[in-house]
Amino acid sequence: MPRSLLARTFFLLALLVLSSTAGWLALFSHIDVEPRARESAAMATSAVNLIRASIFAAAPDKRPRLFAEFASTEGIRLLPAEEQDQLVPMPDSRFHELMRDTIVARLGPTTRIAAEVNGEPGFWVSFRFNPKDEDEFWLVLPRERVTRDFAARWLSWGALAVALALMVAWLIASRLSRPLKALARSAQAVGRGQTPTPLAEDGAEELRALAAAFNTMASDLARHEKDRSEVLAGISHDLRTPLTRLRLEAELSVSDEAARQGIVADIDQMESVISQFMDYARAESGEAPEFTDLAALLAAIGERQAAIGRPLDVDLDGVSSAKIRPKAVSRAVINLIDNAWKYGGGAVSLRANAIDDEIRIEVADCGPGIPESELERLKRPFTRLEVARTDVTGTGLGLAIVERIARLHGGRLELLANPAGGLLARLVLKSA
């Protein structure tokens, strides 16, 4: 059974059409047997009666010419029957049985019918000029007159009807599957965090209702996402002003150095949390994709990291330009690097390469790694690892932001074990 709805629907409709056509042809063939058998029998008996009448009416010296005329114009021959004649009976079928019974009923019980006499094929019918005569003759008709061929015109019309029915079946199947394919593409876009183009609300009532419900759901999701992002961004922005005042107050009013450093550290951590909230809120902003020199973008990130005392082992020989959202990708890569330095420790590497239609950006560290059972859970928002890696606190949004940016580019985030020890975070983006 085909896998797609279009192929399955067409297969079932085609099976229905072919089955119904085959049934119709079989029924027609069955019904057509009796009239064609009676027609052939009537033709044979008429030929016998015509021969009888012609022989009785014609003068004896003109009978040979009459027989020659029958043979040349009608293909009818008259031969004497012999006792040693070797007969091959007609095939055992309903058509030939009906024809034989009809001929015998009209010409008498002594009538014999054969498909071949003495090795010569034809339509052989025996008769006597007078029922009391001992002499018996064979009337030989062309075999084609009793061959029951299905009418070619019916086969032609049947083939045309099947072809038209299959075309209509394909049209029906495609009209059924087209809106469902559009719905599947829109659902995939929603799954990637995008707002799809509204579906056309036309067609059958059920399809219109389905398209309307999906459009309403997509618009509601987009509105809720926008409201959530605005709330997060607004709260984060409003908190920065009092935090700045607190930092200034701590610098000026707190005389104890240790206390002042503790307050400043707390404020820095709060600002870091606010920054992550804002990143999460704008992870799916309206930034349009554009062709970007990805190698230059990642090299610039590596240089900035080295400038703040976090040197990276960078290998970017496998990538060049790609159509991406550069700000979003930069945010995702920086989040992965921040996680590697916070939780992994040791040497951190940044590598990128292109495989088929995918771009793979990998950030690896040499830390304790993540248990395999926790890999998928850590991609969810506000989720942190409780026991592994370190006791560094955070919002649990870093990997969630990367995951959303990956989906925005039709890709994915993979958390794998680093062959050299630690964690390998792979950001996969579609290059096309």
Side-chain angles (χ1 to χ4, degrees), residues 305-350:
Q305 292 292 314
I308 61 175
R310 300 197 300 194
L312 302 175
D313 178 14
V314 179
D315 181 4
L316 307 175
D317 292 339
V319 292
S320 54
S321 297
K323 192 173 184 180
I324 60 172
R325 294 167 173 83
K327 293 181 181 179
V329 171
S330 296
R331 194 178 305 124
V333 174
I334 291 172
N335 274 356
L336 292 178
I337 295 173
D338 287 343
N339 276 355
W341 282 108
K342 279 184 184 179
Y343 302 104
V348 177
S349 64
L350 172 62

Side-chain angles (χ1 to χ4, degrees), residues 323-403:
K323 192 173 184 180
I324 60 172
R325 294 167 173 83
K327 293 181 181 179
V329 171
S330 296
R331 194 178 305 124
V333 174
I334 291 172
N335 274 356
L336 292 178
I337 295 173
D338 287 343
N339 276 355
W341 282 108
K342 279 184 184 179
Y343 302 104
V348 177
S349 64
L350 172 62
R351 305 185 186 280
N353 54 70
I355 299 177
D356 296 331
D357 61 342
E358 293 183 345
I359 297 173
R360 299 182 178 184
I361 303 172
E362 298 177 348
V363 177
D365 62 54
C366 297
I370 296 176
E372 186 175 353
S373 59
E374 298 286 333
L375 293 178
E376 291 302 319
R377 185 181 71 86
L378 289 178
K379 298 178 186 179
R380 297 198 294 266
F382 308 105
T383 303
R384 294 194 301 270
L385 191 62
E386 299 297 336
V387 295
R389 294 169 78 83
T390 73
D391 59 355
V392 178
T393 59
T395 61
L397 288 174
L399 293 180
I401 293 170
V402 178
E403 172 75 9

Side-chain angles (χ1 to χ4, degrees), residues 50 54 141 163 187 195 293 304 310 329 361 367 373 396 405 430:
L50 176 63
S54 299
L141 299 172
T195 301
D293 188 343
R304 288 196 299 271
R310 300 197 300 194
V329 171
I361 303 172
S373 59
I405 292 174
K430 290 291 183 180

Side-chain angles (χ1 to χ4, degrees), residues 198-279:
L199 297 172
E201 298 179 13
D202 54 11
E205 181 179 353
E206 293 82 359
L207 294 176
R208 289 201 305 268
L210 179 61
F214 183 86
N215 288 337
T216 301
M217 180 198 71
S219 62
D220 288 345
L221 288 174
R223 186 178 67 256
H224 293 159
E225 182 65 22
K226 183 179 179 181
D227 293 344
R228 180 191 59 79
S229 299
E230 290 178 353
V231 168
L232 282 175
I235 293 174
S236 302
H237 181 271
D238 292 342
L239 285 175
R240 287 203 161 170
T241 299
L243 285 174
T244 302
R245 288 199 301 266
L246 284 173
R247 179 190 293 273
L248 182 60
E249 186 71 23
E251 293 287 350
L252 297 176
S253 302
V254 180
S255 58
D256 187 284
E257 180 65 23
R260 184 170 63 250
Q261 292 298 329
I263 293 174
V264 171
D266 289 340
I267 293 173
D268 288 341
Q269 185 176 352
M270 293 171 67
E271 287 186 336
S272 176
V273 170
I274 291 172
S275 296
Q276 281 205 327
F277 275 134
M278 295 189 71
D279 284 345

Side-chain angles (χ1 to χ4, degrees), residues 358-361 379 402-415 426-430:
E358 293 183 345
I359 297 173
R360 299 182 178 184
I361 303 172
K379 298 178 186 179
V402 178
E403 172 75 9
R404 296 177 71 180
I405 292 174
R407 287 192 286 109
L408 193 62
H409 289 79
R412 62 193 180 276
L413 171 63
E414 299 176 351
L415 299 179
R426 177 184 293 159
L427 175 61
V428 181
L429 310 175
K430 290 291 183 180

